[in-house]
């Protein structure tokens, strides 16, 4: 492997991880008491999803290219629906908690189940399916190494996002859940608009 291969795929990983970073930041804001084990689980979930999607795209390009192109049109809609659902739920819970004057219950409500975390991981990585076209020229070994690099970069970036969110979430208290939910909805809209414009 050439240095250019590593540089290209590390930069690709940085680009793909930005949506997951924003969601990690929102999660850290909403749960500023998050334990280390949960932080690692969250960052790991995003990393695995960001690795699986490009590899799935690579497989589709090599097997079901025509069908994949049809499915790709729905990716922005799926991301918008998933992130709007989770973000809307966080907004509702955060606003309800603030009205009740309970600062801590918002953070408790915002602690996602593993299922909800997986939905976040899929929603923020589903647009990475199209990266399968970018790495289509790679052999199986190169494709696997590329997605491992993407996963490693995503893990580090998401862990950083959680830590930043936790740092500021402690000061925001109950309002952090509202802010986190708003961020998720905004990310969903951003992914949708970007996908519809073909950016």
């Amino acid at each position: 492997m050439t240095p250019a291969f590593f540089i290209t795929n590390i930069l690709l990983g940085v680009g793909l991880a930005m949506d997951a970073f924003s969601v990690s930041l929102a999660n850290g804001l909403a749960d500023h008491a998050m334990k280390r084990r949960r932080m690692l689980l969250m960052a790991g979930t995003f990393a695995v999803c960001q690795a699986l999607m490009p590899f799935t795209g690579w497989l589709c390009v090599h097997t079901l290219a025509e069908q994949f192109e049809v499915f790709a049109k729905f990716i922005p809609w799926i991301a918008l629906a998933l992130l709007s659902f989770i973000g809307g739920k966080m907004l509702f819970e955060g606003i309800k908690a603030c009205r009740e004057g309970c600062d801590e219950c918002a953070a408790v409500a915002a602690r996602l189940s593993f299922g909800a975390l997986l939905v976040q991981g899929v929603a923020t990585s589903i647009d990475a399916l199209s990266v399968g076209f970018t790495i289509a020229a790679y052999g199986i070994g190169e494709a696997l190494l590329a997605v491992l690099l993407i996963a490693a970069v995503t893990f580090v970036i998401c862990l950083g996002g959680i830590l930043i969110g936790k740092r500021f979430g402690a000061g925001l208290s109950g309002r952090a859940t509202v802010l986190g939910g708003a961020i998720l909805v905004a990310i969903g809209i951003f992914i949708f608009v970007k996908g519809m414009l073909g950016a």
Side-chain angles (χ1 to χ4, degrees), residues 25-130:
L25 183 69
N27 289 341
L29 280 168
D31 185 5
H32 58 265
M34 193 185 304
K35 303 295 183 187
R36 182 179 299 176
R37 182 179 174 184
R38 184 164 178 77
M39 289 167 54
L40 294 174
L41 173 66
M42 190 171 287
T45 300
F46 286 122
V48 169
C49 288
Q50 287 289 4
L52 284 177
M53 290 298 177
F55 189 69
T56 301
W58 181 88
L59 286 173
C60 288
V61 167
H62 287 267
T63 55
L64 305 167
E66 190 174 326
Q67 291 86 341
F68 178 66
E69 285 183 16
V70 173
F71 172 75
K73 298 174 184 176
F74 299 101
I75 288 174
W77 293 93
I78 295 168
L80 176 64
L82 293 176
L83 287 174
S84 294
F85 174 74
I86 296 172
K89 188 171 181 286
M90 283 177 66
L91 275 169
F92 175 77
E93 290 169 347
I95 291 169
K96 182 181 176 184
C98 287
R99 283 182 179 169
E100 292 173 357
C102 172
D103 290 335
E104 291 304 316
C105 58
V108 171
R111 290 182 187 132
L112 300 167
S113 66
F114 183 66
L117 181 58
L118 276 178
V119 171
Q120 284 188 350
V122 170
T124 55
S125 64
I126 195 167
D127 58 336
L129 275 169
S130 59

Side-chain angles (χ1 to χ4, degrees), residues 4 70 110 144-145 152 154 165 168:
V70 173
L144 285 171
L145 181 56
T154 301
F168 291 101

Side-chain angles (χ1 to χ4, degrees), residues 14-25:
V14 171
L16 291 175
M18 287 301 100
D19 291 335
F21 168 80
S22 300
V23 174
S24 297
L25 183 69

